[in-house]
Amino acid sequence: DAMVIQNPRYQVTQFGKPVTLSCSQTLNHNVMYWYQQKSSQAPKLLFHYYDKDFNNEADTPDNFQSRRPNTSFCFLDIRSPGLGDAAMYLCATSRDRGAREQYFGPGTRLTVT
Amino acid sequence: RKEVEQDPGPFNVPEGATVAFNCTYSNSASQSFFWYRQDCRKEPKLLMSVYSSGNEDGRFTAQLNRASQYISLLIRDSKLSDSATYLCVVTYGSSNTGKLIFGQGTTLQVKP
């Protein structure tokens, strides 16, 4: 089945140790998004790629970076994780920007020790 | 003020009950409206879009009031499987740059 896949599902990293989360999609969608969701809070958009065009949200910390080497893959890099970065990280795709539906992956739950 | 506000609940209802959730949004330029469902420790999934004329999908009815800037979701004949968090979502911006703005969600617990 076409889908959005995230690896790993659970990631433990140490304070300050760089970590990379990955997302892949078989939907051939143009847009890929990264959201951060903390417990009992709304998903918060960090950035998105429209094809190769990177769009950062104004309040996304510099500590968060992203790469999209091709249509299928997108990575979230956290350069120096802090305790406050522990959260669920959700990758989503949509056919185009402004598309009515986004398709979410299962998420990666990040723990920072 | 949050862009999208919801009562977090939880709403605890017995099976078969009718339950309604409301959501308000602050940006009058909001263009599209949705309800997403998120099960515990899972990803959000689209439940239904919300249209100005109101729309129904089985036991679920969504309504939009643009003048008052609120959206509602009505669930009739609640099932145990309806237990989840329901996220109110709006978009605004031009048709080719719009992004989803999520509310924090309303938690529903349906009990036997």
Side-chain angles (χ1 to χ4, degrees):
Chain A
D1 289 341
M3 58 175 62
V4 181
I5 302 161
Q6 290 187 246
N7 286 304
R9 295 291 309 277
Y10 300 91
Q11 176 74 58
V12 181
T13 192
Q14 292 177 337
F15 182 94
K17 185 175 180 181
V19 64
T20 295
L21 310 182
S22 75
C23 176
S24 63
Q25 54 125 343
T26 60
L27 297 160
N28 204 33
H29 282 173
N30 287 323
V31 193
M32 295 186 78
Y33 307 82
W34 279 105
Y35 290 86
Q36 178 193 65
Q37 187 177 25
K38 297 186 177 180
S39 181
S40 302
Q41 294 185 21
K44 177 179 179 297
L45 182 64
L46 296 174
F47 25 59
H48 75 273
Y49 271 96
Y50 177 63
D51 196 12
K52 295 181 181 179
D53 180 27
F54 177 71
N55 297 269
N56 201 31
E57 292 300 299
D59 56 355
T60 298
D62 292 340
N63 197 26
F64 292 86
Q65 304 286 320
S66 186
R67 296 169 283 137
R68 189 179 186 187
N70 53 52
T71 300
S72 301
F73 285 87
C74 195
F75 300 99
L76 170 62
D77 300 308
I78 308 176
R79 293 194 295 190
S80 181
L83 298 178
D85 296 328
M88 174 77 89
Y89 289 88
L90 294 160
C91 174
T93 73
S94 66
R95 186 168 36 82
D96 280 298
R97 280 189 297 199
R100 298 178 70 78
E101 182 172 3
Q102 291 185 12
Y103 296 80
F104 285 82
T108 294
R109 185 165 296 278
L110 178 68
T111 300
V112 182
T113 61
Chain B
R1 184 184 172 188
K2 293 178 184 175
E3 293 177 279
V4 180
E5 295 209 57
Q6 297 180 247
D7 179 348
F11 284 60
N12 295 300
V13 303
E15 267 187 295
T18 296
V19 62
F21 307 137
N22 291 326
C23 162
T24 58
Y25 59 94
S26 61
N27 191 328
S28 59
S30 297
Q31 296 178 321
S32 301
F33 309 88
F34 310 92
W35 285 101
Y36 274 69
R37 170 187 170 135
Q38 187 171 25
D39 291 293
C40 188
R41 303 177 81 84
K42 297 284 184 69
E43 72 274 23
K45 291 184 179 178
L46 179 65
L47 177 67
M48 60 196 302
S49 300
V50 187
Y51 303 114
S52 297
S53 54
N55 50 297
E56 191 173 302
D57 182 2
R59 298 181 292 108
F60 298 84
T61 301
Q63 301 229 316
L64 167 64
N65 185 321
R66 283 189 185 269
S68 301
Q69 294 180 209
Y70 84 76
I71 306 150
S72 65
L73 177 68
L74 183 78
I75 305 175
R76 290 182 300 278
D77 189 23
S78 301
K79 312 290 185 192
L80 295 176
S81 57
D82 294 334
S83 297
T85 296
Y86 291 84
L87 299 163
C88 176
V89 183
V90 307
T91 71
Y92 55 80
S94 63
S95 61
N96 64 346
T97 61
K99 61 182 183 182
L100 301 185
I101 307 297
F102 286 82
Q104 71 173 101
T106 298
T107 298
L108 172 66
Q109 288 279 355
V110 181
K111 304 210 180 279

